[in-house]
Amino acid sequence: MSQDPQAALFAQAQAAFRAGRLQEALESIDALVRQAPGHADAWNLAGVVCHVRRDFEAAARYFHRALGLGAGAGALVNLGFALQQLGNDDDAEQAYREAARREPTLALAWQKLGGLQERQGRREDALASFRQAVAR
């Protein structure tokens, strides 16, 4: 049985990303979203690729697009990290908190929230967030 063409393109994009071939990954994602513009995971992966390339504005746009299409809490963590890199700590904190609300067992959301709080000198808040991360 042959693989679904969209699944094949997504697998190709993931493989290229894992191999560090970022431009190739973006080209595969572009081909995929032309066929399936509602593919939330593809938009999320595009954001991850842009984040690795340090294009945080593009990454945030792609994460927003993925979230608008129903992406899960992991995309919110990704968005928070991109926003944090852009210096938008308030919105980053909101994204981390929403990710933790949607998926309370997502330790990464708690860890990123704690790191942000620690960087801001909010040690008690950070400690509480880190405790949540460890409890997960």
Side-chain angles (χ1 to χ4, degrees):
M1 183 158 72
S2 66
Q3 188 178 24
D4 169 356
Q6 293 172 6
L9 278 171
F10 189 65
Q12 184 179 351
Q14 287 178 308
F17 173 72
R18 283 193 294 274
R21 298 186 312 268
L22 303 181
Q23 186 59 39
E24 182 182 328
L26 285 175
E27 289 167 4
S28 294
I29 292 165
D30 184 58
L32 173 55
V33 298
R34 284 184 199 182
Q35 292 178 20
H39 198 294
D41 290 336
W43 292 109
N44 185 58
L45 182 56
V48 172
V49 171
C50 288
H51 194 278
V52 169
R53 294 174 105 180
R54 304 192 59 75
D55 185 352
F56 303 118
E57 289 181 12
R61 282 194 307 274
Y62 288 133
F63 295 137
H64 276 294
R65 180 83 180 256
L67 289 161
L69 294 167
L76 276 163
V77 174
N78 292 341
L79 173 61
F81 195 51
L83 292 171
Q84 194 173 344
Q85 296 302 309
L86 290 168
N88 190 342
D89 288 355
D90 291 342
D91 287 343
E93 182 170 348
Q94 280 186 300
Y96 296 144
R97 286 187 181 282
E98 179 61 16
R101 186 194 68 75
R102 286 189 192 182
E103 194 174 325
T105 60
L106 184 60
L108 184 60
W110 293 106
Q111 183 268 326
K112 291 292 186 185
L113 177 59
L116 174 64
Q117 292 165 330
E118 183 178 41
R119 200 183 95 229
Q120 293 174 330
R122 297 164 47 202
R123 298 204 191 293
E124 291 300 317
D125 291 339
L127 185 57
S129 293
F130 288 139
R131 283 186 178 133
Q132 288 291 330
V134 171
R136 306 303 162 189

